[in-house]
Amino acid sequence: MQHSQDSQSVLTQAQDVLLKTYARYPFVIERGEGVFLYDTDNNAYLDFGAGIAVSGLGYQHKDFNEAIQQQIGKVLHTSNLYYNIPSITAAQKLCRASGMAKIFWTNSGTEANEGAIKVAKKYAFLRDKHHKHNIIAFKNGFHGRSLGALSITGNTAYQEPFKPLLDGIRFADFNEIASVERNIDSQTCAIFLETIQGEGGITPAKKDFLTKIRKICDENDILLILDEIQCGMGRTGKMFAWQHYDILPDIFSTAKALGCGLPVGAFGVSEHVANSSLGVGDHGTTYGGNPLVCAGVNAVFDIFERENILANVESSAKHLICVLDSLVEEYTIFTKRQGLGLLQGMWITDKQECKNTEIISQALKNGLIILPAGENSLRFAPPLIIQKEHIDKMIDKLRQTLRELGLN
């Protein structure tokens, strides 16, 4: 295959024109096929990152591509001064999948979380007629990098240069209900958490913990907001991770695999919250609910159902969990595996001088893409179409990587 530019020339150009806010790895992705990515030098990479859990259908899915192409032939943008059919049908499907009553379309997960914060604030203001409310978030949580989302992100390293942030944010310890109870008072309007902490090492909420939070919220008219931007849309074997816990949030946020590569997010609310929070003029976006991206969302839901993606996640996840657990037993570098479905984390012992970034960099040289999850974890979030054969190939490449780094 002929390429107009090799990776090094592209990297040189990038250094000249792109703001250096990302610690990018030095290779240039040009195309994808199935669960493999290819760089500008035609090197193949087995993808266990999926663009940070975005590309649920892998790459070049025929039906997904056709749905987008068909919409391109109709209209790309209308603004929210008018209705468009793809946004309505996609909202219907998202409501059915989530159990929520109303949907607001955004362009990203961060924007969905910003909207969720505004919903909670407006709900509490209408109820109490004052602004002195607080929100409980969690240490090691991650909700985005805009100022509102950053305010509820429990990592001071992300926050410090951008203070002052939103007032009234209290941070509790994840999976410790006593810590939540200590932070609640009569002005608490919302509890905001990831059902599975991503940057916090792929740490799922314990069932008893989340059940008790739901009970506390019900008893005190506090809104439960679940961030399912990464762990939602089928990644755990259910459409949303909270469905493993037999609860419903009052508000949720989603993105990533919602569009399988298209820039789209959403937040959804219950009927009660919809009737008691945002009204005309309270929130908006130019591109949210764009007919192009919503055509893609519609295709995602249709393909999930037609190809029984959730069943594939369940069966593939069992094999992934089995082989990762075997690595934990075999290698002293790993202390534990944790996660749900096809969102798994491997923790690296603090006694090990080798960092996750070194493993990830060496894995790239061996044609394997895996991700960090915080400073001491590896994240495995492959496309949801992944098969047993790909998992076995991933393990072979990871073993090779560990061997080359002299790790045991």
Side-chain angles (χ1 to χ4, degrees):
M1 181 177 292
Q2 297 295 316
H3 301 277
S4 58
Q5 299 181 82
D6 63 19
S7 293
Q8 192 54 54
S9 65
V10 176
L11 291 171
T12 299
Q13 294 174 50
Q15 295 301 312
D16 290 338
V17 296
L18 297 179
L19 191 63
K20 296 175 178 62
T21 56
Y22 300 108
R24 288 186 170 103
Y25 295 96
F27 75 111
V28 182
I29 294 173
E30 185 175 55
R31 60 189 175 89
E33 185 72 34
V35 297
F36 290 88
L37 290 168
Y38 298 84
D39 67 15
T40 48
D41 298 321
N42 207 32
N43 297 307
Y45 300 86
L46 177 58
D47 184 15
F48 267 69
I52 316 182
V54 168
S55 302
L57 297 176
Y59 306 97
Q60 301 307 318
H61 191 289
K62 181 176 178 291
D63 294 343
F64 182 67
N65 286 1
E66 285 182 357
I68 298 168
Q69 289 162 359
Q70 288 176 10
Q71 187 60 44
I72 288 173
K74 296 178 181 178
V75 64
L76 297 181
H77 177 72
T78 62
S79 89
N80 283 300
L81 294 173
Y82 318 101
Y83 293 103
N84 72 78
I85 291 172
S87 71
I88 298 168
T89 54
Q92 290 171 333
K93 292 172 184 178
L94 184 51
C95 284
R96 285 197 296 268
S98 65
M100 295 290 102
K102 297 289 191 294
I103 301 298
F104 184 97
W105 294 110
T106 69
N107 309 292
S108 67
T110 295
E111 291 174 59
N113 282 337
E114 289 282 344
I117 292 170
K118 287 182 68 175
V119 172
K121 283 180 165 289
K122 180 68 182 292
Y123 177 90
F125 175 76
L126 289 176
R127 182 190 63 196
D128 301 335
K129 302 299 188 291
H130 67 73
H131 303 97
K132 299 176 182 179
H133 297 103
N134 61 71
I135 295 173
I136 295 175
F138 289 85
K139 298 171 186 176
N140 299 315
F142 183 84
H143 301 284
R145 297 179 187 269
S146 57
L147 290 179
L150 193 60
S151 297
I152 57 172
T153 289
N155 187 321
T156 55
Y158 292 143
Q159 292 182 330
E160 190 59 37
F162 307 105
K163 292 180 177 179
L165 299 171
L166 290 181
D167 290 332
I169 310 298
R170 301 177 178 182
F171 288 97
D173 296 314
F174 195 66
N175 277 329
E176 293 187 20
I177 196 66
S179 177
V180 176
E181 292 170 338
R182 284 195 299 271
N183 279 281
I184 288 176
D185 63 22
S186 61
Q187 306 307 328
T188 302
C189 68
I191 299 178
F192 205 130
L193 70 154
E194 299 159 274
T195 315
I196 303 173
Q197 285 196 335
E199 297 296 314
I202 315 301
T203 304
K206 294 178 181 177
K207 186 162 188 177
D208 183 61
F209 174 72
L210 199 51
T211 300
K212 287 181 178 178
I213 286 181
R214 178 69 273 179
K215 186 173 185 290
I216 288 170
C217 289
D218 289 339
E219 292 173 347
N220 296 278
D221 196 15
I222 295 170
L223 299 181
L224 174 57
I225 308 175
L226 292 181
D227 177 339
E228 294 238 352
I229 290 165
Q230 181 170 198
C231 64
M233 287 303 296
R235 182 145 293 277
T236 66
K238 294 185 181 293
M239 283 305 296
F240 292 96
W242 75 67
Q243 292 164 345
H244 291 278
Y245 298 80
D246 300 319
I247 65 162
L248 271 176
D250 300 296
I251 307 169
F252 81 101
S253 56
T254 182
K256 292 192 182 287
L258 178 66
C260 284
L262 292 171
V264 58
F267 64 85
V269 300
S270 68
E271 191 74 49
H272 172 65
V273 174
N275 293 332
S276 309
S277 57
L278 300 182
V280 174
D282 280 338
H283 199 49
T285 168
T286 297
Y287 294 106
N290 181 290
L292 177 63
V293 298
C294 285
V297 173
N298 275 303
V300 168
F301 277 108
D302 293 344
I303 293 166
F304 268 44
E305 182 175 357
R306 187 166 60 248
E307 298 186 5
N308 208 355
I309 295 295
L310 295 184
N312 186 69
V313 171
E314 187 175 350
S315 60
S316 295
K318 287 179 181 177
H319 187 55
L320 177 61
I321 289 168
C322 181
V323 295
L324 292 180
D325 282 346
S326 69
L327 286 184
V328 173
E329 293 181 8
E330 182 179 351
Y331 288 86
T332 58
I333 181 177
F334 298 121
T335 60
K336 62 180 175 180
R337 174 211 54 84
Q338 58 185 22
L340 278 175
L342 290 179
L343 182 59
Q344 297 292 330
M346 293 271 281
W347 282 53
I348 299 170
T349 175
D350 293 336
K351 298 176 183 178
Q352 179 59 246
E353 293 183 1
C354 182
K355 302 298 183 184
N356 58 1
T357 51
E358 295 175 60
I359 297 174
I360 292 166
S361 294
Q362 188 63 30
L364 278 174
K365 296 177 183 177
N366 293 321
L368 172 63
I369 294 175
I370 50 179
L371 305 174
E375 295 182 355
N376 65 338
S377 300
L378 300 176
R379 174 174 12 187
F380 301 83
L384 305 182
I385 60 170
I386 207 82
Q387 301 295 310
K388 180 179 181 294
E389 64 193 80
H390 303 124
I391 294 170
D392 291 340
K393 191 170 187 176
M394 180 276 291
I395 290 296
D396 289 342
K397 288 179 177 291
L398 183 55
R399 286 182 183 277
Q400 177 186 352
T401 298
L402 298 174
R403 185 168 60 250
E404 290 169 348
L405 291 172
L407 300 172
N408 54 46

